[in-house]
Short mmCIF file of all heavy atoms in Angstrom, two decimals:
data_model
loop_
_atom_site.label_atom_id
_atom_site.label_comp_id
_atom_site.label_asym_id
_atom_site.label_seq_id
_atom_site.Cartn_x
_atom_site.Cartn_y
_atom_site.Cartn_z
N ASP A 636 -12.82 -26.75 -31.77
CA ASP A 636 -12.82 -28.17 -31.44
C ASP A 636 -12.43 -28.37 -29.98
O ASP A 636 -13.05 -29.16 -29.27
CB ASP A 636 -11.87 -28.94 -32.36
CG ASP A 636 -11.83 -30.41 -32.04
OD1 ASP A 636 -12.89 -31.07 -32.12
OD2 ASP A 636 -10.74 -30.92 -31.69
N PHE A 637 -11.41 -27.67 -29.53
CA PHE A 637 -10.97 -27.74 -28.14
C PHE A 637 -12.13 -27.39 -27.21
O PHE A 637 -12.43 -28.12 -26.26
CB PHE A 637 -9.79 -26.76 -27.93
CG PHE A 637 -9.32 -26.67 -26.51
CD1 PHE A 637 -8.33 -27.53 -26.04
CD2 PHE A 637 -9.83 -25.72 -25.65
CE1 PHE A 637 -7.89 -27.43 -24.73
CE2 PHE A 637 -9.39 -25.62 -24.34
CZ PHE A 637 -8.41 -26.48 -23.88
N ALA A 638 -12.81 -26.27 -27.48
CA ALA A 638 -13.92 -25.84 -26.65
C ALA A 638 -15.08 -26.82 -26.71
O ALA A 638 -15.74 -27.08 -25.69
CB ALA A 638 -14.38 -24.44 -27.06
N PHE A 639 -15.35 -27.37 -27.88
CA PHE A 639 -16.42 -28.36 -28.03
C PHE A 639 -16.12 -29.58 -27.16
O PHE A 639 -16.99 -30.10 -26.49
CB PHE A 639 -16.54 -28.77 -29.49
CG PHE A 639 -17.69 -29.70 -29.78
CD1 PHE A 639 -18.94 -29.21 -30.08
CD2 PHE A 639 -17.51 -31.08 -29.75
CE1 PHE A 639 -20.01 -30.06 -30.33
CE2 PHE A 639 -18.56 -31.94 -30.00
CZ PHE A 639 -19.81 -31.43 -30.29
N ASN A 640 -14.88 -30.00 -27.14
CA ASN A 640 -14.47 -31.18 -26.40
C ASN A 640 -14.44 -30.95 -24.89
O ASN A 640 -14.86 -31.80 -24.12
CB ASN A 640 -13.10 -31.65 -26.91
CG ASN A 640 -12.58 -32.88 -26.21
OD1 ASN A 640 -11.45 -32.89 -25.77
ND2 ASN A 640 -13.37 -33.93 -26.12
N LEU A 641 -13.94 -29.79 -24.48
CA LEU A 641 -13.71 -29.55 -23.05
C LEU A 641 -14.62 -28.50 -22.42
O LEU A 641 -14.65 -28.38 -21.20
CB LEU A 641 -12.25 -29.14 -22.84
CG LEU A 641 -11.24 -30.21 -23.22
CD1 LEU A 641 -9.85 -29.64 -23.30
CD2 LEU A 641 -11.29 -31.35 -22.23
N GLY A 642 -15.30 -27.73 -23.23
CA GLY A 642 -16.17 -26.69 -22.72
C GLY A 642 -15.55 -25.31 -22.83
O GLY A 642 -14.32 -25.17 -22.76
N LEU A 643 -16.39 -24.33 -23.03
CA LEU A 643 -15.91 -22.95 -23.13
C LEU A 643 -15.28 -22.47 -21.84
O LEU A 643 -14.35 -21.66 -21.86
CB LEU A 643 -17.06 -22.03 -23.55
CG LEU A 643 -17.46 -22.14 -25.01
CD1 LEU A 643 -18.82 -21.50 -25.25
CD2 LEU A 643 -16.41 -21.52 -25.92
N SER A 644 -15.73 -22.98 -20.70
CA SER A 644 -15.15 -22.54 -19.43
C SER A 644 -13.71 -23.00 -19.30
O SER A 644 -12.88 -22.29 -18.73
CB SER A 644 -15.99 -23.01 -18.24
OG SER A 644 -16.05 -24.42 -18.22
N ALA A 645 -13.39 -24.17 -19.83
CA ALA A 645 -12.00 -24.63 -19.80
C ALA A 645 -11.12 -23.69 -20.61
O ALA A 645 -10.01 -23.32 -20.19
CB ALA A 645 -11.89 -26.05 -20.33
N LEU A 646 -11.61 -23.28 -21.79
CA LEU A 646 -10.86 -22.34 -22.61
C LEU A 646 -10.75 -20.99 -21.91
O LEU A 646 -9.68 -20.39 -21.85
CB LEU A 646 -11.51 -22.19 -23.98
CG LEU A 646 -10.85 -21.20 -24.94
CD1 LEU A 646 -9.41 -21.61 -25.26
CD2 LEU A 646 -11.67 -21.07 -26.22
N LYS A 647 -11.84 -20.52 -21.36
CA LYS A 647 -11.87 -19.19 -20.73
C LYS A 647 -10.83 -19.05 -19.63
O LYS A 647 -10.19 -18.02 -19.50
CB LYS A 647 -13.26 -18.93 -20.15
CG LYS A 647 -13.39 -17.59 -19.46
CD LYS A 647 -14.78 -17.38 -18.91
CE LYS A 647 -14.88 -16.02 -18.25
NZ LYS A 647 -16.22 -15.80 -17.70
N ASN A 648 -10.67 -20.08 -18.84
CA ASN A 648 -9.79 -20.01 -17.68
C ASN A 648 -8.39 -20.56 -17.92
O ASN A 648 -7.64 -20.76 -16.97
CB ASN A 648 -10.45 -20.75 -16.51
CG ASN A 648 -11.77 -20.12 -16.12
OD1 ASN A 648 -11.88 -18.91 -16.02
ND2 ASN A 648 -12.79 -20.94 -15.95
N SER A 649 -8.03 -20.78 -19.18
CA SER A 649 -6.77 -21.46 -19.48
C SER A 649 -5.62 -20.51 -19.83
O SER A 649 -5.82 -19.40 -20.31
CB SER A 649 -6.97 -22.41 -20.67
OG SER A 649 -7.18 -21.67 -21.86
N THR A 650 -4.42 -21.02 -19.58
CA THR A 650 -3.22 -20.33 -20.05
C THR A 650 -3.19 -20.35 -21.57
O THR A 650 -2.68 -19.41 -22.19
CB THR A 650 -1.96 -21.01 -19.47
OG1 THR A 650 -2.06 -20.97 -18.04
CG2 THR A 650 -0.68 -20.32 -19.91
N LEU A 651 -3.75 -21.37 -22.16
CA LEU A 651 -3.87 -21.45 -23.62
C LEU A 651 -4.51 -20.19 -24.17
O LEU A 651 -3.99 -19.56 -25.10
CB LEU A 651 -4.69 -22.68 -24.02
CG LEU A 651 -5.16 -22.77 -25.47
CD1 LEU A 651 -3.97 -22.84 -26.42
CD2 LEU A 651 -6.08 -23.97 -25.65
N ARG A 652 -5.63 -19.79 -23.60
CA ARG A 652 -6.33 -18.58 -24.05
C ARG A 652 -5.44 -17.35 -23.91
O ARG A 652 -5.40 -16.49 -24.79
CB ARG A 652 -7.62 -18.41 -23.26
CG ARG A 652 -8.36 -17.14 -23.63
CD ARG A 652 -9.66 -17.02 -22.85
NE ARG A 652 -10.22 -15.70 -23.03
CZ ARG A 652 -10.54 -14.89 -22.05
NH1 ARG A 652 -10.38 -15.25 -20.79
NH2 ARG A 652 -11.05 -13.71 -22.31
N LYS A 653 -4.74 -17.25 -22.81
CA LYS A 653 -3.84 -16.11 -22.61
C LYS A 653 -2.79 -16.04 -23.70
O LYS A 653 -2.48 -14.97 -24.22
CB LYS A 653 -3.19 -16.19 -21.23
CG LYS A 653 -4.16 -15.99 -20.10
CD LYS A 653 -3.50 -16.20 -18.76
CE LYS A 653 -4.56 -16.19 -17.66
NZ LYS A 653 -4.05 -16.67 -16.39
N LYS A 654 -2.23 -17.19 -24.06
CA LYS A 654 -1.21 -17.23 -25.11
C LYS A 654 -1.80 -16.88 -26.48
O LYS A 654 -1.18 -16.18 -27.28
CB LYS A 654 -0.52 -18.59 -25.15
CG LYS A 654 0.21 -18.96 -23.87
CD LYS A 654 1.20 -17.90 -23.46
CE LYS A 654 1.82 -18.21 -22.12
NZ LYS A 654 2.58 -17.08 -21.59
N VAL A 655 -3.01 -17.35 -26.74
CA VAL A 655 -3.69 -17.01 -28.00
C VAL A 655 -3.92 -15.50 -28.07
O VAL A 655 -3.64 -14.87 -29.09
CB VAL A 655 -5.03 -17.78 -28.12
CG1 VAL A 655 -5.90 -17.21 -29.22
CG2 VAL A 655 -4.77 -19.27 -28.34
N ASN A 656 -4.40 -14.93 -26.99
CA ASN A 656 -4.75 -13.51 -27.00
C ASN A 656 -3.56 -12.56 -26.96
O ASN A 656 -3.72 -11.37 -27.18
CB ASN A 656 -5.74 -13.20 -25.88
CG ASN A 656 -7.14 -13.67 -26.22
OD1 ASN A 656 -7.48 -13.81 -27.40
ND2 ASN A 656 -7.94 -13.95 -25.22
N THR A 657 -2.39 -13.11 -26.71
CA THR A 657 -1.17 -12.29 -26.82
C THR A 657 -0.40 -12.64 -28.09
O THR A 657 0.71 -12.16 -28.29
CB THR A 657 -0.28 -12.44 -25.57
OG1 THR A 657 0.02 -13.82 -25.37
CG2 THR A 657 -0.96 -11.87 -24.34
N GLY A 658 -1.00 -13.51 -28.92
CA GLY A 658 -0.37 -13.87 -30.18
C GLY A 658 0.86 -14.74 -30.03
O GLY A 658 1.68 -14.84 -30.94
N GLU A 659 0.99 -15.41 -28.90
CA GLU A 659 2.14 -16.29 -28.65
C GLU A 659 1.80 -17.71 -29.12
O GLU A 659 1.57 -18.61 -28.33
CB GLU A 659 2.49 -16.27 -27.16
CG GLU A 659 2.92 -14.90 -26.67
CD GLU A 659 3.18 -14.89 -25.18
OE1 GLU A 659 4.28 -15.32 -24.78
OE2 GLU A 659 2.27 -14.46 -24.43
N TRP A 660 1.81 -17.88 -30.43
CA TRP A 660 1.31 -19.12 -31.03
C TRP A 660 2.16 -20.33 -30.72
O TRP A 660 1.62 -21.42 -30.51
CB TRP A 660 1.11 -18.93 -32.53
CG TRP A 660 0.02 -17.94 -32.80
CD1 TRP A 660 0.16 -16.66 -33.25
CD2 TRP A 660 -1.37 -18.11 -32.55
NE1 TRP A 660 -1.07 -16.03 -33.31
CE2 TRP A 660 -2.03 -16.91 -32.88
CE3 TRP A 660 -2.14 -19.17 -32.07
CZ2 TRP A 660 -3.40 -16.74 -32.76
CZ3 TRP A 660 -3.51 -19.00 -31.96
CH2 TRP A 660 -4.13 -17.81 -32.30
N GLU A 661 3.45 -20.18 -30.66
CA GLU A 661 4.31 -21.34 -30.33
C GLU A 661 4.04 -21.81 -28.91
O GLU A 661 4.00 -23.02 -28.65
CB GLU A 661 5.78 -21.00 -30.53
CG GLU A 661 6.18 -20.84 -31.99
CD GLU A 661 5.83 -22.04 -32.86
OE1 GLU A 661 6.10 -23.19 -32.45
OE2 GLU A 661 5.25 -21.84 -33.95
N LEU A 662 3.82 -20.88 -27.99
CA LEU A 662 3.49 -21.26 -26.61
C LEU A 662 2.08 -21.82 -26.53
O LEU A 662 1.81 -22.73 -25.75
CB LEU A 662 3.67 -20.07 -25.67
CG LEU A 662 5.12 -19.59 -25.52
CD1 LEU A 662 5.18 -18.33 -24.68
CD2 LEU A 662 6.00 -20.68 -24.92
N ALA A 663 1.17 -21.29 -27.33
CA ALA A 663 -0.20 -21.82 -27.37
C ALA A 663 -0.19 -23.28 -27.84
O ALA A 663 -0.93 -24.11 -27.30
CB ALA A 663 -1.07 -20.97 -28.29
N LYS A 664 0.65 -23.58 -28.82
CA LYS A 664 0.77 -24.96 -29.30
C LYS A 664 1.19 -25.89 -28.17
O LYS A 664 0.70 -27.02 -28.06
CB LYS A 664 1.81 -25.05 -30.42
CG LYS A 664 1.36 -24.45 -31.72
CD LYS A 664 2.49 -24.56 -32.74
CE LYS A 664 2.12 -23.94 -34.06
NZ LYS A 664 3.16 -24.14 -35.07
N LYS A 665 2.09 -25.44 -27.32
CA LYS A 665 2.55 -26.26 -26.19
C LYS A 665 1.46 -26.39 -25.13
O LYS A 665 1.29 -27.45 -24.53
CB LYS A 665 3.81 -25.66 -25.59
CG LYS A 665 5.01 -25.77 -26.51
CD LYS A 665 6.24 -25.13 -25.91
CE LYS A 665 7.40 -25.23 -26.90
NZ LYS A 665 8.59 -24.53 -26.43
N GLU A 666 0.74 -25.30 -24.90
CA GLU A 666 -0.32 -25.31 -23.88
C GLU A 666 -1.45 -26.28 -24.23
O GLU A 666 -1.94 -26.99 -23.38
CB GLU A 666 -0.90 -23.91 -23.68
CG GLU A 666 -0.02 -23.00 -22.87
CD GLU A 666 0.25 -23.49 -21.46
OE1 GLU A 666 -0.69 -23.99 -20.79
OE2 GLU A 666 1.40 -23.40 -21.03
N ILE A 667 -1.85 -26.29 -25.49
CA ILE A 667 -2.99 -27.13 -25.87
C ILE A 667 -2.67 -28.61 -25.68
O ILE A 667 -3.55 -29.41 -25.36
CB ILE A 667 -3.46 -26.81 -27.31
CG1 ILE A 667 -4.94 -27.17 -27.47
CG2 ILE A 667 -2.59 -27.49 -28.36
CD1 ILE A 667 -5.58 -26.60 -28.72
N LEU A 668 -1.40 -28.97 -25.81
CA LEU A 668 -0.99 -30.36 -25.65
C LEU A 668 -1.16 -30.87 -24.22
O LEU A 668 -1.23 -32.08 -23.99
CB LEU A 668 0.46 -30.54 -26.09
CG LEU A 668 0.75 -30.31 -27.56
CD1 LEU A 668 2.25 -30.34 -27.82
CD2 LEU A 668 0.03 -31.31 -28.44
N LYS A 669 -1.25 -29.97 -23.26
CA LYS A 669 -1.37 -30.35 -21.85
C LYS A 669 -2.76 -30.90 -21.51
O LYS A 669 -2.94 -31.53 -20.48
CB LYS A 669 -1.08 -29.15 -20.95
CG LYS A 669 0.35 -28.67 -21.04
CD LYS A 669 0.56 -27.43 -20.17
CE LYS A 669 1.98 -26.91 -20.29
NZ LYS A 669 2.16 -25.68 -19.48
N TRP A 670 -3.72 -30.67 -22.39
CA TRP A 670 -5.12 -31.03 -22.13
C TRP A 670 -5.45 -32.42 -22.69
O TRP A 670 -6.36 -32.57 -23.50
CB TRP A 670 -6.04 -29.98 -22.72
CG TRP A 670 -5.91 -28.66 -22.05
CD1 TRP A 670 -4.96 -27.71 -22.27
CD2 TRP A 670 -6.75 -28.14 -21.03
NE1 TRP A 670 -5.16 -26.64 -21.46
CE2 TRP A 670 -6.26 -26.87 -20.69
CE3 TRP A 670 -7.88 -28.63 -20.38
CZ2 TRP A 670 -6.86 -26.09 -19.71
CZ3 TRP A 670 -8.49 -27.83 -19.42
CH2 TRP A 670 -7.97 -26.59 -19.10
N ASN A 671 -4.73 -33.43 -22.25
CA ASN A 671 -4.88 -34.77 -22.81
C ASN A 671 -5.26 -35.82 -21.76
O ASN A 671 -5.05 -37.00 -21.96
CB ASN A 671 -3.60 -35.19 -23.52
CG ASN A 671 -2.42 -35.35 -22.57
OD1 ASN A 671 -2.45 -34.86 -21.44
ND2 ASN A 671 -1.39 -36.02 -23.02
N LYS A 672 -5.85 -35.36 -20.65
CA LYS A 672 -6.18 -36.30 -19.58
C LYS A 672 -7.69 -36.37 -19.37
O LYS A 672 -8.40 -35.40 -19.52
CB LYS A 672 -5.50 -35.87 -18.28
CG LYS A 672 -3.99 -35.93 -18.37
CD LYS A 672 -3.33 -35.36 -17.13
CE LYS A 672 -1.84 -35.26 -17.33
NZ LYS A 672 -1.45 -34.19 -18.24
N GLY A 673 -8.13 -37.55 -18.98
CA GLY A 673 -9.51 -37.78 -18.61
C GLY A 673 -9.50 -38.61 -17.34
O GLY A 673 -8.82 -39.64 -17.30
N GLY A 674 -10.16 -38.14 -16.31
CA GLY A 674 -10.13 -38.87 -15.04
C GLY A 674 -8.74 -38.95 -14.45
O GLY A 674 -8.40 -39.92 -13.78
N GLY A 675 -7.91 -37.96 -14.75
CA GLY A 675 -6.54 -37.92 -14.22
C GLY A 675 -5.55 -38.78 -14.98
O GLY A 675 -4.37 -38.83 -14.62
#
Side-chain angles (χ1 to χ4, degrees):
D636 179 60
F637 176 89
F639 185 88
N640 180 230
L641 296 166
L643 286 164
S644 60
L646 178 61
K647 179 180 181 180
N648 299 315
S649 70
T650 301
L651 167 63
R652 177 178 169 235
K653 292 175 188 167
K654 299 305 175 191
V655 166
N656 284 335
T657 55
E659 297 176 81
W660 294 107
E661 289 305 314
L662 294 175
K664 288 178 182 185
K665 291 178 182 176
E666 283 299 318
I667 206 166
L668 294 173
K669 295 177 182 178
W670 293 82
N671 66 343
K672 296 174 188 73

